[in-house]
Amino acid sequence: MQIRWKLIRTLGAVVIAIICGVNTPSAGAIGWESVPDILGRIKAPEFPARDFVITNYGAVAGGSNDCTAAIAKAVDACHKAGGGRVVVPDGVFLTGAIHLKSNVNLHLADNATLKFSPDPANYLPVVFTRWEGVECMNYSPLIYAFEQENIAVTGKGLLDGSASLETWWGWNNKAEKPTKQVPARKKLVEMGEKGVPVEQRVFGDGSFLRPNFFQPYRCRNVLIEGVTIHNSPMWEINPVLCTNVTVRGVTIVSHGSNNDGCDPESCYDVLIEGCTFDTGDDCIAIKSGRNNDGRRVNVAAENTIVRNCTMKDGHGGVVMGSEISGHCRNVFVENCKMDSPNLDRALRFKDNAQRGGIIENVFMRNVEIGRVAEAVLTIDFLYEEGTNGMHRPIVRNVALDHVTSQGSPRVMWIVGYPGGVIDDIRITDCTFRNVQATEMLSYEGALMFSNVTIEPAQKGRARNSPAAQ
């Protein structure tokens, strides 16, 4: 048996190894050597060289004329012709929900703005969607596709969700107790737990469950590239049950409640690269369904690569959970920069005994962190319902390599409970500076440090070594 040492607290500058608990190997453990194969399968869709300019179908710039019908006509014409680009030219175009079809690339010119109406009526009738990890019939996402193939949103233009506290964000205004969305949210979760058929979980008008911005659902070959997204009602980019997804060069600035940047749910082969996230919630959150409904669908989030991204404000830089009941495996994060006094954590796991699920094979390397408000690494099994449930959460085979931070209250906030599994966490060749407090660790298994420097904000010296710095 390997000898293990329990970390009590971190006061010195260098920690060589910290190992505690029983080392349980991860099932199907993989590593960075798998990335080339994953990238080899991820191919952005290509489109015929045909343009369908929305102004040729009745769209009028200026931001006051409703262009929803004109855009739908352009999408339909493009699809029937075998594909191409639906082009939004320079100018501001007001619209409601946009539904993409196979082989259609919605392309925004450099100075184009799609300004989405804040009127909920423009996102009816309801569509088949997933809301916080539970399938239901609800408002259409602002840009939506269902069971389509080869779809894209591209260009340098702006997608403006028009959300504010006076519109969508007011439905979950935390200053109100309870918020407007609470009754419907509770009802939806109960329906998921009871297994009510999805077609009977009808919400929409009067329910106050906000739509997400861009949601391709059960789609193959998805691309979103180059655009800027502002002021989403809720989550920004939310592919669900999709295969072969590329999110590239997107800038997201949106600080409303639950304004996650990119939330791939139960997706297979996802590349997120060169993006900037400045959000009101998690920058990237990988998910796979909530509680019994997630277990019913039973599709894991698998093979997600995040690279060359910048994370500013947000609850977490890269996050797994909390809707993770369908499991998550094979997440690779590299060459990213994270820095903001309003960024709470760099790498975050959130789970509990109602979600359950296995999160495994998560790797982060070559990441530069400036400041975070809570910890560099957070594993929290007491999230929301906490220990109140029968489904064991598992986090295993997690590795941080060549990660640096310039300031944080702690390096680690790792909180489990008896019966949960937090195991095989490895931190190698990392430097964490200006650490303000002792680490928070409970009910963790094997936690291993190798060549790690932790520098406290208030440096001391050994009593018997007066020359030490």
Side-chain angles (χ1 to χ4, degrees), residues 350-410:
K350 48 182 176 175
D351 205 344
N352 61 44
Q354 286 198 21
R355 304 285 190 277
I358 300 170
I359 308 172
E360 62 183 353
N361 311 335
V362 179
F363 309 98
M364 173 181 280
R365 70 181 181 186
N366 301 328
V367 171
E368 298 179 11
I369 303 164
R371 296 159 293 173
V372 289
E374 181 179 272
V376 173
L377 170 64
T378 297
I379 304 175
D380 183 4
F381 282 1
L382 304 184
Y383 188 82
E384 290 190 342
E385 295 93 345
T387 62
N388 182 26
M390 301 297 294
H391 300 277
R392 181 172 64 165
I394 297 173
V395 171
R396 63 190 180 194
N397 193 25
V398 177
L400 281 70
D401 183 25
H402 287 91
V403 174
T404 63
S405 66
Q406 301 305 315
S408 63
R410 293 174 171 85

Side-chain angles (χ1 to χ4, degrees), residues 113 168 230 239 254 316 343 356 380:
T113 296
W168 299 111
H230 286 178
S254 193
L343 179 64
D380 183 4

Side-chain angles (χ1 to χ4, degrees), residues 23 26 30 362-364 377 396-401 423-428 430 446-450:
N23 187 11
S26 301
I30 67 169
V362 179
F363 309 98
M364 173 181 280
L377 170 64
R396 63 190 180 194
N397 193 25
V398 177
L400 281 70
D401 183 25
D423 196 21
D424 194 10
I425 313 298
R426 306 181 305 280
I427 303 179
T428 305
C430 295
L447 171 60
M448 294 166 278
F449 277 33
S450 177

Side-chain angles (χ1 to χ4, degrees), residues 27-262:
I30 67 169
W32 285 100
E33 70 280 357
S34 302
V35 168
D37 287 341
I38 297 170
L39 289 174
R41 294 192 300 268
I42 300 175
K43 304 291 185 184
E46 298 180 354
F47 301 89
R50 288 189 287 261
D51 285 352
F52 299 80
V53 183
I54 63 172
T55 50
N56 293 337
Y57 295 85
V60 178
S64 58
N65 294 282
D66 186 351
C67 303
T68 308
I71 295 172
K73 289 178 183 178
V75 168
D76 191 54
C78 180
H79 170 68
K80 288 179 178 178
R85 299 194 312 176
V86 170
V87 177
V88 181
D90 291 351
V92 179
F93 295 88
L94 179 67
T95 185
I98 296 174
H99 289 189
L100 297 181
K101 297 182 178 181
S102 292
N103 303 311
V104 172
N105 175 7
L106 179 64
H107 182 80
L108 278 71
D110 289 2
N111 296 306
T113 296
L114 273 176
K115 186 172 180 62
F116 287 83
S117 167
D119 183 352
N122 288 317
Y123 304 92
L124 295 172
V126 296
V127 300
F128 192 109
T129 184
R130 215 179 201 182
W131 197 90
E132 286 194 349
V134 182
E135 291 189 323
C136 64
M137 310 298 294
N138 192 36
Y139 289 113
S140 171
L142 278 56
I143 302 175
Y144 178 71
F146 185 73
E147 296 184 342
Q148 303 299 308
E149 188 171 4
N150 303 325
I151 59 171
V153 178
T154 65
K156 298 296 184 183
L158 173 65
L159 299 172
D160 182 356
S162 300
S164 66
L165 280 174
E166 288 69 42
T167 59
W168 299 111
W169 294 346
W171 294 6
N172 194 36
N173 182 358
K174 298 300 177 64
E176 300 176 359
K177 301 294 182 183
T179 70
K180 291 180 180 178
Q181 76 174 21
V182 164
R185 183 181 189 267
K186 181 179 179 181
K187 180 180 179 181
L188 175 60
V189 171
E190 290 175 349
M191 286 179 161
E193 295 306 287
K194 294 176 180 178
V196 174
V198 176
E199 61 271 17
Q200 296 178 23
R201 306 175 193 176
V202 181
F203 292 85
D205 189 27
S207 296
F208 302 109
L209 298 182
R210 295 159 291 154
N212 298 332
F213 206 126
F214 174 47
Q215 187 187 73
Y217 207 107
R218 297 184 193 160
C219 293
R220 294 180 60 225
N221 310 335
V222 178
L223 170 67
I224 179 167
E225 182 175 29
V227 294
T228 296
I229 301 176
H230 286 178
N231 301 331
S232 175
M234 207 168 98
W235 299 349
E236 321 280 334
I237 301 172
N238 178 219
V240 181
L241 295 160
C242 292
T243 300
N244 186 25
V245 177
T246 302
V247 181
R248 178 183 293 131
V250 176
T251 299
I252 294 176
V253 181
S254 193
H255 286 84
S257 175
N258 310 114
N259 271 214
D260 294 21
C262 183

